[in-house]
Amino acid sequence: MTSVTPAHATQDFITASDAHSAHNYHPLPVVVATAEGAWMTDVEGRRYLDMLAGYSALNFGHGNRRLIDAAKAQLERVTLTSRAFHHDRFAEFCTQLAELCGKDMVLPMNTGAEAVETAVKTARKWGYRVKGVPDGRARIVVASDNFHGRTTTIVSFSTDPEARADFGPYTPGFDIVPYGDLDALRAAVTDETVAVLLEPIQGEAGVLVPPPGYLAGVRELTRERGVLFIADEIQSGLGRTGRTFACEHEGVVPDVYVLGKALGGGVVPVSAVVADRDVLGVFRPGEHGSTFGGNPLACAVALEVVAMLRSGEFQQHATELGEHLHAELGLLVGTGKVSAVRGRGLWAGVDIDPALGTGREISEKLMARGVLVKDTHGSTIRIAPPLVISKEDLDWGLDQLRAVLGA
Ligand SMILES: Cc1ncc(COP(=O)(O)O)c(C=O)c1O
């Protein structure tokens, strides 16, 4: 049923990849060779507009000059020390990132899942040492349809059967409530609750924006009950929604930010937990760590990311083009082609009429027209181009979507 027939060279790469890699992904049949800005070129020279941006890891575009230059300069100096020694980019990185977040301290890791794990450990330790929860009793409230990563503990509190099945036994200590339901959250918080862990906008679930007032309500409730509010801004943060953090749309400052993806500028994996001293100060040497976390190359790139975010230009561009994106997508709602559009800034989940195809089929048809997107569940596709995309390119991408939908 696919409209895409991979040409020979492409098929050779795909066959070789299928033969020697675990089949834990089902990529679109495109083999990328080079990329620049919002565009990727495949092994046969075809160009594609990247409307996924590495799930927001590429907010600043492919091959961003400032980030590549920062990485190259650092490559020539020192790349890895491990945390056994100090290095001269570390303090600057932690200081600048903490300042961007308005917090005291940073605990750097590499991938998003590691940062979420770090936040879970932070909350538990804080619960025992600061809040006074009896040993082994700490609980964390999370939302249904969450996506926080793929480790055994994280999939333990997933509600996605595909992500969980066959990976038990599961880590206990998590309570799951419906996303966006403040009353359910209130009912789930007990004296043993140490944290509420939420995505301010649920990305993998289909770019679900919670009802107005929800995040502010979570903030108020957690403050009242002496519970940490942990915002997983790995996908929603760092400019994607038109603000540095998606929580800002409700004027909310969580206790703990969990950051990843774009923090590494699409160059290296960089993640971090950022919080005040009364929270992150619970760690002592030897209690947590990572060989690569906070390495010089990661710090150099992430420092440049922080400097770029400080200017506000990416947030501004995401706000302006995001308004345009949502206005255009909004016109498709009610045409019989699209049932709903959600999102903020340069981030949209588009529910397509299932009669027109699955999300996968729509993605393949878009690919055939030179646009790369990713389906989520059912007939929903996700649009999240690099924040450096031009209005002309965005409009061209939207033209292709309209053509695929017959709109
Ligand atoms: C909100 C959120 N948290 C955590 C993760 C996990 O990040 P990583 O794939 O780097 O482990 C993701 C990845 O998609 C995410 O979207």
Side-chain angles (χ1 to χ4, degrees):
M1 280 217 294
T2 160
S3 61
V4 178
T5 311
H8 202 61
T10 298
Q11 191 53 56
D12 287 349
F13 276 104
I14 292 172
T15 304
S17 147
D18 281 350
H20 299 290
S21 72
H23 295 179
N24 56 326
Y25 276 92
H26 180 34
L28 287 172
V30 57
V31 181
V32 176
T34 60
E36 193 180 352
W39 290 87
M40 300 203 271
T41 304
D42 77 3
V43 286
E44 295 176 48
R46 286 179 294 238
R47 296 183 80 224
Y48 300 87
L49 185 63
D50 182 1
M51 297 271 262
L52 178 65
Y55 304 96
S56 289
L58 286 153
N59 278 2
F60 309 101
H62 295 273
N64 184 290
R65 208 59 259 162
R66 285 180 66 173
L67 298 174
I68 298 297
D69 286 348
K72 276 185 175 166
Q74 191 60 42
L75 279 170
E76 299 292 341
R77 293 179 65 224
V78 57
T79 53
L80 187 68
T81 56
S82 84
R83 294 286 307 279
F85 315 117
H86 292 276
H87 67 76
D88 65 1
R89 310 310 303 269
F90 188 73
E92 197 186 355
F93 161 67
C94 293
T95 308
Q96 298 292 329
L97 181 60
E99 207 172 288
L100 184 79
C101 298
K103 301 285 183 193
D104 299 333
M105 287 179 141
V106 170
L107 200 169
M109 298 295 283
N110 311 282
T111 64
E114 284 175 295
V116 171
E117 286 274 353
T118 301
V120 166
K121 289 171 80 173
T122 303
R124 286 180 171 181
K125 195 175 261 297
W126 174 87
Y128 300 129
R129 296 290 170 88
V130 180
K131 182 168 173 165
V133 172
D135 191 33
R137 305 290 298 244
R139 304 198 65 81
I140 295 176
V141 183
V142 299
S144 52
D145 299 319
N146 68 72
F147 187 86
H148 297 286
R150 300 286 195 175
T151 64
T152 42
T153 286
I154 294 172
V155 300
S156 296
F157 57 83
S158 168
T159 55
D160 177 0
E162 218 175 25
R164 275 173 65 88
D166 298 333
F167 298 129
Y170 302 109
T171 308
F174 298 94
D175 298 300
I176 304 171
V177 296
Y179 187 65
D181 184 341
L182 205 51
D183 290 335
L185 181 63
R186 188 173 292 111
V189 170
T190 70
D191 291 345
E192 293 174 348
T193 305
V194 294
V196 173
L197 165 65
L198 294 173
E199 296 156 84
I201 292 177
Q202 287 191 324
E204 300 299 306
V207 196
L208 299 188
V209 181
Y214 178 65
L215 296 176
V218 174
R219 177 64 288 187
E220 204 181 310
L221 172 67
T222 48
R223 192 172 281 132
E224 269 169 28
R225 299 296 305 269
V227 167
L228 298 178
F229 180 6
I230 304 173
D232 178 347
E233 292 257 17
I234 288 170
Q235 197 167 158
S236 59
L238 310 186
R240 171 58 53 194
T241 68
R243 304 284 169 88
T244 304
F245 303 109
C247 281
E248 285 175 48
H249 290 282
E250 286 210 4
V252 162
V253 178
D255 298 297
V256 179
Y257 287 107
V258 188
L259 306 175
K261 294 195 191 282
L263 190 57
V267 179
V268 281
V270 187
S271 66
V273 170
V274 189
D276 278 334
R277 194 170 305 279
D278 57 341
V279 177
L280 269 181
V282 295
F283 284 109
R284 295 287 166 269
E287 291 175 348
H288 188 60
S290 155
T291 303
F292 289 93
N295 69 72
L297 183 60
C299 288
V301 173
L303 259 171
E304 201 61 33
V305 165
V306 171
M308 286 159 69
L309 285 169
R310 267 246 179 72
S311 76
E313 65 187 280
F314 295 91
Q315 296 90 323
Q316 180 69 23
H317 192 65
T319 298
E320 286 165 15
L321 274 199
E323 274 166 21
H324 179 64
L325 171 72
H326 285 279
E328 292 293 319
L329 290 174
L331 295 175
L332 295 172
V333 180
T335 57
K337 310 289 183 188
V338 168
S339 56
V341 176
R342 297 169 300 275
R344 274 193 206 282
L346 273 174
W347 201 17
V350 183
D351 294 344
I352 290 163
D353 178 357
L356 297 177
T358 61
R360 172 77 186 195
E361 286 162 351
I362 300 290
S363 302
E364 288 177 347
K365 286 179 182 165
L366 277 167
M367 183 193 135
R369 302 185 72 95
V371 174
L372 296 178
V373 298
K374 177 79 176 80
D375 53 304
T376 54
H377 303 283
S379 291
T380 301
I381 60 164
R382 173 179 14 188
I383 296 180
L387 307 183
V388 296
I389 193 171
S390 68
K391 181 166 180 297
E392 292 68 34
D393 287 346
L394 182 64
D395 279 334
W396 181 82
L398 288 167
D399 284 344
Q400 306 318 306
L401 177 63
R402 282 187 282 262
V404 163
L405 299 180

